[in-house]
Structure formats: structure tokens, C-alpha cells
Amino acid sequence: MAETKTTVTVRALERGDFDQWLALWDGYLAFYREQLTTQMTRHSFERLSGGEAQMHGLVAVVDGQLGGFAHLVVHPKTWSTAPDCYLEDLFVAGAHRGGVTSKALIEATYAKAREQGCDRVYWRTQQFNGRARSFYDQVGQLTSSVIYEHELD
């Protein structure tokens, strides 16, 4: 369901946002069937809310409440002197999906990346996440890259 016409403000994640952010974070983790310890969740929040220079948390405020977030990691790369911005996590609460909140978070991500001197923003999603992929097709370019992973002990 697309959200109704509303005003969205995107700003930096602040330490006082923890409770509202946590509700969104829990929804995000549930969607991907992931579980993190309370300690890891708190550590991630601290880094995203100003504790680490390469990590940035953005939140969408809708009617005074957090309606979504974007978590960014800015990192150097070998193919350019400009850093990349990895959009590691993007989540919008169900009532706000498919509308201005998602678009506002993406646009704010692009703006933050430019501010950080990046020349590219990239992200990944699950192949089965059709709804998100439909949106991403409108705001980004699908690449031919294939991702491999190996968990380290």
C-alpha cells in the first residue's frame, strides 16, 4: 500500500532516537530473518548516531515519528581517489513504503554521499525482495555483479 500524501524530513540519527530506531531495526532484522545480540544492536546504534566517522545513520521523520532509516558506510576504494558510499541498510515502516519516505531517504543518502566526497552509492538486496527491487529500479542502476561471501571464524 502506498503511503498517503505526507511531509517527510530526513535528518541524522541522534542518540535520543534509540527507542524509535530500535522498533524499526527489529522490523528490519525480522524481515531478513536475522538476530543480533542486544550488545551488537547497541554498538551499531552508537556508531551510526555519531560515534564513528565512516558510518552515518539517517532517519526519516513522518508526523513526528521515525518512519524509516538509511545506514551508510563511507570507505576508500582502489579504482578512484574518491570514496564509495555503501548503503548497508535501508528500511521503511510498512505504512510509509512505496512513497515519499523511501524516495526521501534515497535522496538524502545521495546528498550525504556527495557531502562526504563520494562518487558512487551502491547497495544490495535479496533477490526475492521484489517490492524493494521495483523501487530500486527507479532510483539506481542494476549491475551484473555477483556477491560471494565466506564467514571467518
Side-chain angles (χ1 to χ4, degrees):
M1 153 177 30
E3 67 185 326
T4 59
K5 183 81 170 154
T6 188
T7 302
V8 178
T9 303
V10 178
R11 62 168 172 77
L13 180 65
E14 299 171 353
R15 297 204 191 282
D17 293 330
F18 182 75
D19 291 338
Q20 288 186 57
W21 173 87
L22 181 59
L24 293 169
W25 181 245
D26 286 344
Y28 178 73
L29 293 176
F31 177 81
Y32 284 108
R33 297 180 181 112
E34 291 290 336
Q35 293 182 353
L36 294 178
T37 65
T38 301
Q39 181 181 6
M40 187 68 242
T41 291
R42 180 54 91 170
H43 181 69
S44 293
F45 178 80
E46 292 299 323
R47 292 161 70 195
L48 291 162
S49 63
E52 192 164 310
Q54 293 89 3
M55 297 184 75
H56 306 276
L58 301 175
V59 290
V61 181
V62 184
D63 298 327
Q65 300 295 314
L66 299 190
F69 61 69
H71 299 155
L72 319 177
V73 179
V74 174
H75 64 86
K77 61 185 179 196
T78 59
W79 289 17
S80 172
T81 57
D84 265 354
C85 178
Y86 176 47
L87 174 55
E88 186 164 12
D89 309 306
L90 178 68
F91 183 75
V92 175
H96 304 295
R97 287 190 190 134
V100 296
T101 303
S102 302
K103 184 78 168 158
L105 281 165
I106 287 290
E107 289 174 356
T109 294
Y110 295 163
K112 185 67 172 177
R114 283 187 200 96
E115 175 188 304
Q116 295 294 306
C118 299
D119 62 6
R120 181 178 76 138
V121 174
Y122 70 101
W123 61 94
R124 66 184 193 169
T125 192
Q126 298 270 334
Q127 187 172 4
F128 67 79
N129 194 349
R131 186 169 186 185
R133 291 184 66 192
S134 179
F135 171 68
Y136 295 153
D137 286 344
Q138 298 172 40
V139 298
Q141 173 85 29
L142 181 64
T143 72
S144 61
S145 294
V146 176
I147 298 172
Y148 290 87
E149 294 180 342
H150 175 81
E151 295 291 326
L152 301 174
D153 297 335

